[in-house]
Structure formats: structure tokens, C-alpha cells
Amino acid sequence: MQMKILYVEDEPFIASALVRVLEQAGFQVEVAVDGEKGIEAANRQLFDLILLDLILPRIDGFEVLRQLKEGPATKNTPVIILSNLSAEEDKAKAKELGAIDFMVKAFANPLDIAESVKKLLGPSGTK
């Protein structure tokens, strides 16, 4: 069974590039284009991993992360932050809220991100 990833990202170009690489690696990926849709998607079905931008329309990524970690259905889902915010305070806040990793998009190409996902979930994208 394919592992499912929710990617909460409002930039279509960035999202499509990473989705393509993750799908080639064997993962099933759903994209949510804002924080509100991300929360809705995460509560609608179980994901093996959530990739979360911080600068989002409607509800910012920090609030999305807080709600995910408080929700009974989503509190144990691992969350990796993918953001162009790179201040140490942002990284510390994300970790404090429950993110397992923080990657700066400007310094991580989609192949690097996919490698991190594979290390976390396994190489084949299957359970």
C-alpha cells in the first residue's frame, strides 16, 4: 500500500515540482493550497506524513501545526516544515509545536526533500 503524504503549500510551481519527485519515489501525495484546507484534509483522512509551509493564506503554518498536534486523529502524524523562513526563532517554535524537522526551501531541492522523506518513511513508499 502506498504511503500518503499531505503537502500544504500555496505556491503551485513549488508544489508541483516536489509532488512529481515524491510520486516518482512511490508516494501518494495530496496538496492543500492553504492552512484551512490543510487542516480539513488532515482530519478527513490519515496521512503518513505532512509537509507544511509556514507562510500560508487563511491560517499560517504555525497555527496549522498547533491544531494538528492537538487533534486526536492527527497528533501522532509526523510533520516536516518546508519554509523559506529561516530564523532560529522560527525553527525553535516549529520544533516546540511538534515538527520533527525543518527544511529551508531555498536551500533544499525536491530531490533532497524526497531523500529526507524516504529516510523517514522508507525507500519504497509502501507500508
Side-chain angles (χ1 to χ4, degrees), residues 27-75:
F27 298 100
Q28 182 181 334
V29 185
E30 180 177 330
V31 176
V33 297
D34 63 47
E36 189 175 283
K37 286 184 174 58
I39 292 167
E40 288 170 6
N43 285 313
R44 184 176 62 247
Q45 71 172 301
L46 213 54
F47 289 92
D48 298 292
L49 174 70
I50 298 172
L51 300 173
L52 177 62
D53 188 11
L54 292 175
I55 303 171
L56 293 166
R58 304 187 113 184
I59 301 174
D60 74 41
F62 288 118
E63 178 61 17
V64 171
L65 180 58
R66 187 189 66 72
Q67 289 187 34
L68 291 172
K69 291 303 172 183
E70 288 179 356
T74 55
K75 67 181 177 188

